[in-house]
Amino acid sequence: MDDNDRSIVGFVMAGHAMVHIYELSIPILMTVWLLEFSTTTAVLGTAVAVGYGLFGVGALPGGLLVDRFGSRRLITLCLAGMGVSFLILSVSPGIVGITAAIAIWGAAASVYHPAGLTLISNGVRDRGRGFAYHGMAGNVGIAAGPLVTALLLLVFPWETVVVILAIPALIAAVAGLSIEFDPTAAVEMTDGGHERQPPSSLSAFLAETRQLFTVGFALVFVIVAFNGLYYRGVVTFLPELLGDFLTATIGDARLGLFDPDSPMAEEFDLAQYLYVALLMVGIGGQYLGGRLTERIEPDRGMLLMLVCLTTFALLFVPAAETGLWGLLAVSFLLGFALFAMQPLSQATIAKYSLAGSRGLSFGYTYLAIFGVGALGAAIIGTVRTYGSMSTVFLALAAFSTLAGTFAVLLVTRD
């Protein structure tokens, strides 16, 4: 990578890691809030859902803002907003205050993915490697968020913990004001010799949307929506499923690193350690997926990875029933493929969109991934309640099979 590439990639890696550290620290903090405020999981879950909902639906307006104001400004505001939201959280008087603070976090975080991925697509010449490192940083954040939060809670009250968590984002926001790079070094931001302008009215927005939604991009939109269902279903319920398999395999899925009476004990049993290990394996998947975009067309690589996801979903229960080593092997393969898919889908989105409307294109697709994809938790939760373990993984395989069917249409169409 040249200096411009390294500057951009370092900036977005910091932003991506922080987004997911905050996202995954909230469930750990919830275990403390349940005791602190004597509330129910239904009330607290609803309060947190407001922020998570904004995180998903804010991607589309976030994409419009990226095209108008630029990625650097939006990522800097995102980092500052997330840091400030956790400072507000530290002085929240109760459930209403927590709801407001996490809503601010969700609104701020929602602009990150359209902004960060647009910056990589338009500014990084070594795009595949940029997507790879960006994804790897996200996986570090996903794995580190719950672990760091739980360890800090062993030493400090939760109000101090959220202040400590706020500091890195605020530092990164300040750094974002001074770091130097060319955000359009890898593309030509023109259309027929004229500089492309972002939509400034509803009619212009609708016209830009019609221009964006070619047959190819529409197929990509559907593919990433089904992949979002798969992803959200896995990351939401895999810890519980792993716990059930471990209990059946070794008789006790708990590893006593914490006091059994501690609110963190439930979060960090052996299944949780395996889950964190799976997320760390995903770092390698992110790297492989990014490098594959440099070797083959990303839409073909995405189809290949969807085939792998379907295969691993179908093999998961039979492999897990063979014993601990079978469970470990199929879990790591699933984690590897799940995260290798991300750089390939991001590069495919870039392939089927115009440079001047990349923010809008990533806004739409991340609305599909996080917005439509959020239904994956509800669907898999319902299947888990009324069906068997095998039925859960058949439902996941159905998501990836449908995505793969549309991917076949994408790569074989004229």
Side-chain angles (χ1 to χ4, degrees):
M1 287 186 172
D2 59 25
D3 289 342
N4 192 70
D5 283 7
R6 283 193 292 270
S7 295
I8 292 175
V9 170
F11 183 43
V12 297
M13 285 177 70
H16 200 200
M18 291 310 306
V19 165
H20 290 298
I21 284 175
Y22 290 134
E23 178 192 10
L24 274 297
S25 70
I26 292 171
I28 303 300
L29 292 166
M30 288 173 66
T31 64
V32 180
W33 294 335
L34 283 169
L35 301 176
E36 179 87 9
F37 299 107
S38 299
T39 187
T40 65
T41 54
V43 171
L44 189 56
T46 301
V48 170
V50 173
Y52 282 149
L54 288 172
F55 182 40
V57 302
L60 179 55
L64 287 171
L65 292 173
V66 170
D67 287 337
R68 175 161 293 278
F69 298 107
S71 292
R72 179 207 293 273
R73 190 176 300 176
L74 267 294
I75 294 174
T76 301
L77 289 174
C78 165
L79 289 165
M82 292 192 300
V84 169
S85 73
F86 266 56
L87 291 179
I88 295 172
L89 189 59
S90 69
V91 295
S92 297
I95 298 300
V96 173
I98 288 173
T99 304
I102 296 180
I104 294 171
W105 169 82
S110 67
V111 304
Y112 174 74
H113 285 92
L117 295 170
T118 295
L119 186 54
I120 295 173
S121 299
N122 290 347
V124 177
R125 292 184 176 89
D126 197 349
R127 182 187 292 171
R129 194 168 300 186
F131 283 134
Y133 289 145
H134 175 261
M136 292 163 70
N139 269 66
V140 170
I142 290 171
L147 180 60
V148 170
T149 304
L151 293 176
L152 287 172
L153 285 169
L154 293 176
V155 182
F156 303 106
W158 71 267
E159 295 90 343
T160 305
V161 169
V162 294
V163 171
I164 294 172
L165 291 174
I167 293 172
L170 296 174
I171 294 174
V174 173
L177 297 174
S178 59
I179 189 172
E180 294 292 335
F181 55 76
D182 179 358
T184 61
V187 294
E188 190 69 37
M189 300 289 288
T190 60
D191 183 12
H194 303 284
E195 185 176 354
R196 292 183 57 81
Q197 296 295 326
S200 56
S201 64
L202 177 60
S203 60
F205 166 71
L206 294 175
E208 186 86 2
T209 297
R210 285 194 297 270
Q211 185 178 17
L212 174 64
F213 270 85
T214 60
V215 173
F217 186 82
L219 287 170
V220 173
F221 181 87
V222 174
I223 292 166
V224 298
F226 277 114
N227 185 60
L229 294 171
Y230 189 111
Y231 172 84
R232 185 56 63 187
V234 167
V235 299
T236 302
F237 289 101
L238 192 56
E240 177 188 345
L241 297 172
L242 290 172
D244 291 344
F245 280 120
L246 286 169
T247 299
T249 302
I250 63 177
D252 184 5
R254 189 161 302 286
L255 188 64
L257 291 187
F258 297 96
D259 185 332
D261 296 327
S262 165
M264 283 76 75
E266 182 64 24
E267 293 293 329
F268 280 81
D269 59 14
L270 183 55
Q272 290 287 354
Y273 296 127
L274 178 56
Y275 183 59
V276 171
L278 183 150
L279 295 175
M280 297 305 289
V281 168
I283 295 174
Q286 294 272 12
Y287 183 77
L288 174 66
R291 297 311 300 269
L292 278 177
T293 66
E294 301 171 349
R295 299 285 189 268
I296 59 177
E297 288 297 319
D299 45 3
R300 295 181 181 275
M302 190 170 61
L303 173 59
L304 172 64
M305 212 52 61
L306 287 167
V307 172
C308 291
L309 287 173
T310 300
T311 302
F312 297 148
L314 294 174
L315 292 177
F316 199 97
V317 173
E321 289 176 344
T322 65
L324 180 60
W325 291 110
L327 175 62
L328 293 175
V330 75
S331 297
F332 290 156
L333 286 171
L334 178 63
F336 198 89
L338 184 68
F339 290 102
M341 178 70 181
Q342 293 185 5
L344 290 164
S345 63
Q346 292 158 4
T348 303
I349 294 165
K351 176 180 176 179
Y352 287 92
S353 62
L354 298 171
S357 58
R358 286 270 160 75
L360 184 61
S361 66
F362 282 112
Y364 269 116
T365 50
Y366 271 81
L367 175 63
I369 293 168
F370 289 136
V372 177
L375 295 174
I379 295 170
I380 296 302
T382 302
V383 173
R384 178 77 181 98
T385 300
Y386 298 105
S388 65
M389 199 83 74
S390 296
T391 310
V392 169
F393 285 94
L394 284 174
L396 291 172
F399 293 150
S400 54
T401 299
L402 287 168
T405 302
F406 286 103
V408 170
L409 294 176
L410 181 67
V411 300
T412 59
R413 70 187 184 92
D414 291 334

